[in-house]
Amino acid sequence: MEPKDRLRTRSQFPSPLEGEAQQPATGHAQDKPRPELASRVNALRVLFPVTLDPTERVFFRSTLSVSSAQRDGVSANPHDVADEYTRCVQAYAPWLTRGALCGYGSLRVSYGLGLAADMAPTLDAHSAATSSTTAATAQSAQALALTGPARRLALRSLRNLTGHDPAARARLRDALKDLSVDGRIRSLDRIRAEVQDARAHIPSRVLTDAGLTPEVLDALAATSQQAADARARVRDQKQQAQVIRADLAEPTGRLLRELRLLLAAARDTRSVDATLPTVTSWLISRGASRPEEGGGSSSGGSTPT
């Protein structure tokens, strides 16, 4: 029995969805960007002009349940899956066009290319949403950094003026204990509240002498609001990208199965045709269990044999 293939996880390979460089099939850094998916699919469709009728398309879809496709698709990067499928079809095109690949013919290729074509507009939208998230995250970091001077001055002044009060010290410790980005932004409101409380019972000349002027309070309020607004934009952009990503789960899982089937067919063909090149995919590794009949893989990534 041949060893099975397994989908590699995000921890094993960097993901372009997370702002990191995409890995090509060889595992080395790419020298050039790939053409747009729609252009690649259109070029391949010229080689495979066969058109599926509705019953054929329904049959191919029936070989993988919706739930299994979604399960496998959630754990895979849709951009990578589409790239790898079209790359492997291109590599095996001379054999596919003459029906020389065991168990994987032109009709099946047409089905796979149709999946990739349907994904292309959504992938473009996801790329745009991901880029917007990256830009919003950078803007949020800049906005948070701008709160630093007023925050440091307020904290030092408060510690000098109210450090003798155990309750005030405890409130400041509680305000500063969450070191996350959202926690730091929330702490600004708590620091402002402590400054306002200090201004209510500490002599004004003492406050001014310590640096807790109305201007400092205004600066703290303005920069903290800017940071909160910027962080809200990050959350909005992430949510938009997540919604689009969820829409891609099922077609990604279906196309991932086509990639596995194509590579399995090539392995079987290679045993009788030594001229067939060995084309591997960095998305796939060895050692998973056999997929369930009519469904996905029980482990989320095996290649049918």
Side-chain angles (χ1 to χ4, degrees), residues 31-50:
D31 296 323
K32 300 178 183 178
R34 290 176 181 264
E36 292 298 321
L37 176 60
S39 299
R40 280 179 278 139
V41 170
N42 289 337
L44 288 171
R45 277 179 156 173
V46 172
L47 302 177
F48 303 94
V50 60

Side-chain angles (χ1 to χ4, degrees), residues 77-99:
N77 185 313
H79 299 269
D80 294 342
V81 173
D83 282 349
E84 285 294 87
Y85 181 76
T86 54
R87 182 185 68 85
C88 291
V89 168
Q90 180 68 58
Y92 289 128
W95 286 264
L96 289 165
T97 53
R98 65 175 190 266

Side-chain angles (χ1 to χ4, degrees), residues 2-3 5 85 88 92 95-96 99-105 108-109 257-273 276-279 286 303-305:
E2 293 225 17
D5 292 338
Y85 181 76
C88 291
Y92 289 128
W95 286 264
L96 289 165
L101 214 63
C102 296
Y104 206 96
R108 193 94 198 200
V109 174
R257 180 177 172 84
E258 294 307 308
L259 174 62
R260 294 180 181 123
L261 289 170
L262 176 60
L263 294 178
R267 286 201 306 273
D268 288 344
T269 303
R270 200 172 299 114
S271 65
V272 296
D273 183 356
L276 187 71
T278 299
V279 178
R286 301 286 185 173
T303 296
T305 58

Side-chain angles (χ1 to χ4, degrees), residues 185-196:
I185 292 174
R186 286 192 297 269
S187 74
L188 297 171
D189 289 335
R190 302 278 296 276
I191 294 170
R192 286 173 56 205
E194 289 298 314
V195 172
Q196 290 171 329

Side-chain angles (χ1 to χ4, degrees), residues 221-234:
T223 55
S224 64
Q225 186 60 54
Q226 291 169 1
D229 291 344
R231 189 60 179 169
R233 287 192 290 273
V234 172

Side-chain angles (χ1 to χ4, degrees), residues 161-180:
L161 295 175
T162 64
H164 62 282
D165 182 353
R169 290 201 307 272
R171 288 195 301 271
L172 276 183
R173 282 197 301 270
D174 186 63
L176 301 175
K177 66 182 180 181
D178 186 350
L179 300 180
S180 68

